[in-house]
Amino acid sequence: MAGTKSGGDKLGRGDYDAEIDKAAAFLEGFFSSSSLPSDQAAKRFPYREQLTLLAHREACTLRVDLDEVSEEDPVLAEAACENAPRYQRLFADAAARLLPAFKQREIVHKDALDVYLEHRLLLEGRRGGGGGAGERGAPQARPPQNNFPPELMRRL
């Protein structure tokens, strides 16, 4: 029974990763045409705009319209309607994965939590490369961000 559960977890995680990829593709690729005449029509990428604002800490929410998701991927929209908490986390994970690509300039720390997280990550990074790690073997291979829950590291 334990083997079955383990295999199910792997399958579920793979499905989750595939769905994150679908959500990320939607956030990056969805566009709407402007209401201008066809010779002046331009594509507008509303989710790219939101991600840029999030990356620069000028916004703290990502609003996803399920009607727009349904236009692109009806199966994803239906699944989001059936299990909203899961897909809220899924879209947050997809956005967090995409944010570094939308950062166009250095951000200014807005509050004490920003400063605390940055210092904590710097401290963890120094510990990973410190002399104590040599006594136990190879330095810690995983990034310091993995020591904290994604909900704490995410600012959206």
Side-chain angles (χ1 to χ4, degrees):
M1 193 177 272
T4 305
K5 183 177 180 186
S6 168
D9 288 345
K10 287 182 182 178
L11 180 63
R13 185 65 192 172
D15 290 346
Y16 190 77
D17 289 340
E19 289 180 345
I20 286 178
D21 292 340
K22 286 166 69 173
F26 169 77
L27 292 173
E28 277 188 307
F30 180 82
F31 66 90
S32 60
S33 298
S34 67
S35 59
L36 297 173
S38 62
D39 61 336
Q40 299 174 355
K43 292 180 181 178
R44 184 175 162 267
F45 294 90
Y47 298 106
R48 287 184 185 183
E49 293 168 7
Q50 287 187 59
L51 289 168
T52 301
L53 291 174
L54 285 168
H56 296 126
R57 301 288 314 280
E58 295 169 5
C60 59
T61 58
L62 174 67
R63 297 195 186 273
V64 178
D65 187 347
L66 283 177
D67 291 334
E68 294 173 345
V69 175
S70 181
E71 288 176 27
E72 292 288 314
D73 189 345
V75 175
L76 182 63
E78 182 65 30
C81 288
E82 291 175 3
N83 193 350
R86 179 176 196 248
Y87 283 86
Q88 180 182 8
R89 284 189 308 272
L90 186 134
F91 272 91
D93 289 343
R97 183 185 292 179
L98 293 172
L99 281 182
F102 287 92
K103 186 176 169 185
Q104 298 170 345
R105 63 181 184 275
E106 236 5 82
I107 59 170
V108 176
H109 297 298
K110 301 260 182 189
D111 58 18
L113 183 57
D114 286 335
V115 175
Y116 174 77
L117 289 174
E118 180 183 6
H119 287 170
R120 189 68 189 250
L121 289 173
L122 287 171
L123 179 64
E124 290 293 325
R126 288 180 187 157
R127 282 187 194 164
E135 296 172 9
R136 288 185 230 142
Q140 192 175 9
R142 64 184 198 173
Q145 290 87 345
N146 289 352
N147 294 335
F148 303 103
E151 292 82 10
L152 180 61
M153 299 304 293
R154 188 182 305 136
R155 297 306 302 265
L156 64 121

